[in-house]
Amino acid sequence: MSQVTLIGDRLASPGTEFVYEGESSACEGCPYRQQCLNLTEGVRYEVTDVRENGQLLDCAVHDTGVRAVEVEPASITANVASKGAYAGSKVTLPGPCPHTECPSHEYCVPEGADFETEYRIDEVRGDPPHEFCYLDRELTLVELAPPES
């Protein structure tokens, strides 16, 4: 379900994904707080539409201002344990990985995902981009459904 919020003008284009990080100290006293601070912290969102004829509003956080957009929670591409990894199954992420140089690191520690949360697999993508796992994990690359509210 779409939700209307304000985001930085540089991010305001359909298809842009971001993780909502919550309130900044610069938001204090802003007249647009209620329209900006209406998302769930730590959730990955995708801009689905930019409101036509929307004003560009001044913002203490975003140097070029903010504008109204529609967003929806976005799916998350991640590596999960291969055992039981099929579309429709419920999984949790295998846990953190300190190997930031690995080509799979962004999928083992995906932004907007939590290690304690259970996710539903929407689609199995196949083998992860690494040749071998430094933690000796058997992993499969999947598309996780957005967390249910």
Side-chain angles (χ1 to χ4, degrees), residues 132-144:
F132 64 93
C133 176
Y134 292 106
L135 298 179
D136 203 30
R137 295 174 175 167
E138 292 293 323
L139 301 171
T140 298
L141 189 66
V142 299
E143 196 72 26
L144 302 172

Side-chain angles (χ1 to χ4, degrees), residues 4-7 20 23 26-39 55-62 65-68:
V4 177
T5 192
L6 299 174
I7 65 169
Y20 178 66
E23 183 175 358
C27 297
E28 195 170 315
C30 177
Y32 311 116
R33 288 172 54 89
Q34 297 219 333
Q35 291 89 356
C36 272
L37 305 176
N38 61 350
L39 301 178
Q55 281 184 297
L56 185 60
L57 305 169
D58 288 334
C59 177
V61 175
H62 297 277
V66 293
R67 67 176 61 249

Side-chain angles (χ1 to χ4, degrees), residues 5-147:
T5 192
L6 299 174
I7 65 169
D9 186 48
R10 296 177 200 264
L11 299 172
S13 60
T16 298
E17 290 188 9
F18 64 95
V19 176
Y20 178 66
E21 298 294 339
E23 183 175 358
S24 165
S25 59
C27 297
E28 195 170 315
C30 177
Y32 311 116
R33 288 172 54 89
Q34 297 219 333
Q35 291 89 356
C36 272
L37 305 176
N38 61 350
L39 301 178
T40 304
E41 266 186 66
V43 172
R44 177 183 291 272
Y45 290 92
E46 179 179 357
V47 176
T48 56
D49 193 27
V50 177
R51 287 288 173 105
E52 286 189 37
N53 303 321
Q55 281 184 297
L56 185 60
L57 305 169
D58 288 334
C59 177
V61 175
H62 297 277
D63 63 343
T64 59
V66 293
R67 67 176 61 249
V69 297
E70 291 183 27
V71 298
E72 292 183 2
S75 62
I76 300 167
T77 305
N79 284 330
V80 299
S82 294
K83 185 176 181 180
Y86 56 90
S89 67
K90 299 268 185 160
V91 295
T92 56
L93 297 175
C97 175
H99 301 282
T100 57
E101 72 284 354
C102 176
S104 273
H105 188 265
E106 69 181 291
Y107 303 116
C108 290
V109 185
E111 286 188 47
D114 184 55
F115 292 115
E116 287 81 41
T117 301
E118 187 174 66
Y119 297 92
R120 183 178 50 78
I121 297 176
D122 265 352
E123 175 188 346
V124 175
R125 292 206 166 172
D127 292 330
H130 62 263
E131 290 184 33
F132 64 93
C133 176
Y134 292 106
L135 298 179
D136 203 30
R137 295 174 175 167
E138 292 293 323
L139 301 171
T140 298
L141 189 66
V142 299
E143 196 72 26
L144 302 172

